[in-house]
């Protein structure tokens, strides 16, 4: 299975999927660089006049609600509807779910278009389904990944999405009642703004080229986690870690990936 997942990474490099990102101001540059590093082609477009056309020509859509406003919300809804009508894969990153009523309202509208993958931290997944009184602290998780598994199952059943709960252990659940645990990564990664957003973008790239969307999500999360683990060894803090992760995504070898991959079934 390790070698099969490495082949998925090679597929992304070979096919260079076009990833249409409607994401937030904080992470645009890092997201684009991470996608380029793994071989994908990023485009950042949120103008309402073109998002329908851009979604149509792209291989996959990523919607990240980190820096919402009324204009971007409209653009996101147009893009999500277009992807849904065209049966094109799309990934939803519900950044800060539960923080404000407006954010929750937009999320509920986006969910009507059945995202292929939903990737968020435990608090965000819990907040989407209102299954727990746990508060969302900004965009950081105040709950553990395991706390959100039941909520993730609810989302899987309601929308047919693959759901990824990111955390110390990333948990991926799907309609086949499969649960995967990805135990790659390093605690210092939590000190780098937007690595969760990077995870969602990488997931979108893999979803674009793989039929098995669960495996796509598992592979993307493992790749970023391994890049973080290996990069930490040569980093002096979060700033150099961020830079080194981009480099490691670009130069990752099969041996490095296979040796460090830590994925299991629950």
């Amino acid at each position: 299975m390790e070698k099969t997942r490495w082949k998925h990474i090679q597929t992304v490099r070979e096919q260079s999927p076009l990833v249409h990102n409607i994401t937030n101001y904080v992470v645009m540059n890092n997201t684009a660089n991470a996608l380029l590093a793994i071989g994908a082609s990023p485009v950042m477009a949120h103008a309402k006049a073109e998002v329908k056309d851009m979604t149509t020509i792209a291989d996959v859509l990523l919607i990240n609600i980190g820096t919402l406003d009324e204009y971007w919300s409209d653009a996101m809804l147009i893009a999500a509807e277009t992807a849904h009508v065209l049966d094109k894969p799309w990934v939803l990153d519900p950044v800060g779910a539960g923080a404000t009523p407006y954010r929750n309202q937009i999320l509920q509208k986006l969910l009507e278009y059945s995202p292929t993958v939903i990737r968020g931290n435990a608090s965000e997944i819990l907040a989407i389904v209102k299954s727990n009184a746990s508060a969302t602290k900004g965009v950081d998780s105040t709950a553990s990944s395991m706390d959100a598994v039941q909520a993730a199952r609810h989302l899987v059943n309601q929308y047919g999405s693959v759901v990824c709960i990111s955390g110390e252990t990333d948990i991926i659940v799907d309609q086949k009642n499969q649960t995967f645990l990805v135990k790659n990564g390093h605690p210092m990664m939590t000190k780098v703004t937007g690595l969760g957003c990077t995870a969602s973008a990488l997931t979108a790239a893999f979803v674009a080229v793989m039929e098995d969307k669960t495996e796509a999500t598992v592979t993307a999360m493992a790749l970023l986690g391994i890049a973080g683990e290996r990069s930490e060894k040569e980093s002096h803090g979060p700033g150099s870690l961020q830079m080194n992760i981009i480099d490691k995504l670009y130069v990752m070898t099969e041996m490095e990936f296979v040796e460090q991959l830590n994925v299991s079934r629950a």
Side-chain angles (χ1 to χ4, degrees), residues 86-155:
L86 296 176
D87 197 25
K88 184 162 293 193
W90 73 281
V91 175
L92 175 63
D93 189 334
V95 179
T100 67
Y102 176 67
R103 195 165 292 260
N104 292 340
Q105 178 186 13
I106 297 303
L107 275 174
Q108 291 307 311
K109 289 180 179 180
L110 287 168
L111 286 165
E112 292 175 7
Y113 298 113
S114 302
T116 309
V117 178
I118 302 168
R119 193 221 61 82
N121 64 43
S123 291
E124 290 163 348
I125 298 301
L126 284 164
I128 292 176
V129 298
K130 300 179 181 179
S131 61
N132 192 291
S134 174
T136 298
K137 178 186 173 185
V139 296
D140 300 320
S141 180
T142 57
S144 73
S145 297
M146 293 306 299
D147 292 337
V149 173
Q150 186 176 352
R153 287 281 175 209
H154 177 84
L155 291 175

Side-chain angles (χ1 to χ4, degrees), residues 18-196:
L18 180 61
V19 182
H20 176 197
N21 300 267
I22 305 179
T23 189
N24 68 73
Y25 291 117
V26 179
V27 303
M28 280 188 183
N29 184 66
N30 292 333
T31 296
N33 283 332
L35 285 168
L36 286 169
I38 66 168
S41 297
V43 60
M44 273 62 181
H46 59 267
K48 287 188 284 187
E50 71 170 353
V51 288
K52 184 174 182 179
D53 292 331
M54 193 65 76
T55 302
T56 300
I57 65 174
D59 295 301
V60 65
L61 168 69
L62 166 68
I63 292 179
N64 175 311
I65 69 165
T67 51
L68 272 184
D69 66 22
E70 291 81 357
Y71 184 96
W72 277 29
S73 296
D74 289 345
M76 290 173 181
L77 291 168
I78 293 168
E81 181 181 17
T82 302
H84 182 67
V85 169
L86 296 176
D87 197 25
K88 184 162 293 193
W90 73 281
V91 175
L92 175 63
D93 189 334
V95 179
T100 67
Y102 176 67
R103 195 165 292 260
N104 292 340
Q105 178 186 13
I106 297 303
L107 275 174
Q108 291 307 311
K109 289 180 179 180
L110 287 168
L111 286 165
E112 292 175 7
Y113 298 113
S114 302
T116 309
V117 178
I118 302 168
R119 193 221 61 82
N121 64 43
S123 291
E124 290 163 348
I125 298 301
L126 284 164
I128 292 176
V129 298
K130 300 179 181 179
S131 61
N132 192 291
S134 174
T136 298
K137 178 186 173 185
V139 296
D140 300 320
S141 180
T142 57
S144 73
S145 297
M146 293 306 299
D147 292 337
V149 173
Q150 186 176 352
R153 287 281 175 209
H154 177 84
L155 291 175
V156 169
N157 293 335
Q158 187 168 2
Y159 301 107
S161 309
V162 175
V163 178
C164 174
I165 313 161
S166 61
E168 182 177 354
T169 296
D170 301 315
I171 304 172
I172 296 94
V173 298
D174 65 11
Q175 280 188 303
K176 298 178 183 177
N177 206 33
Q178 299 180 109
T179 302
F180 290 89
L181 308 178
V182 180
K183 298 182 180 180
N184 290 111
H186 190 275
M188 195 193 294
M189 295 173 73
T190 64
K191 303 300 182 183
V192 178
T193 297
L195 276 184

Side-chain angles (χ1 to χ4, degrees), residues 187-238:
M188 195 193 294
M189 295 173 73
T190 64
K191 303 300 182 183
V192 178
T193 297
L195 276 184
C197 303
T198 297
S200 294
L202 299 190
T203 298
F206 281 88
V207 164
V209 302
M210 292 177 60
E211 192 70 29
D212 188 330
K213 308 310 182 187
T214 306
E215 266 300 303
T217 306
V218 170
T219 304
M221 298 304 294
L223 174 61
L224 182 60
I226 292 169
E229 284 181 33
R230 290 194 169 269
S231 297
E232 185 274 336
K233 300 180 188 304
E234 54 194 63
S235 300
H236 302 291

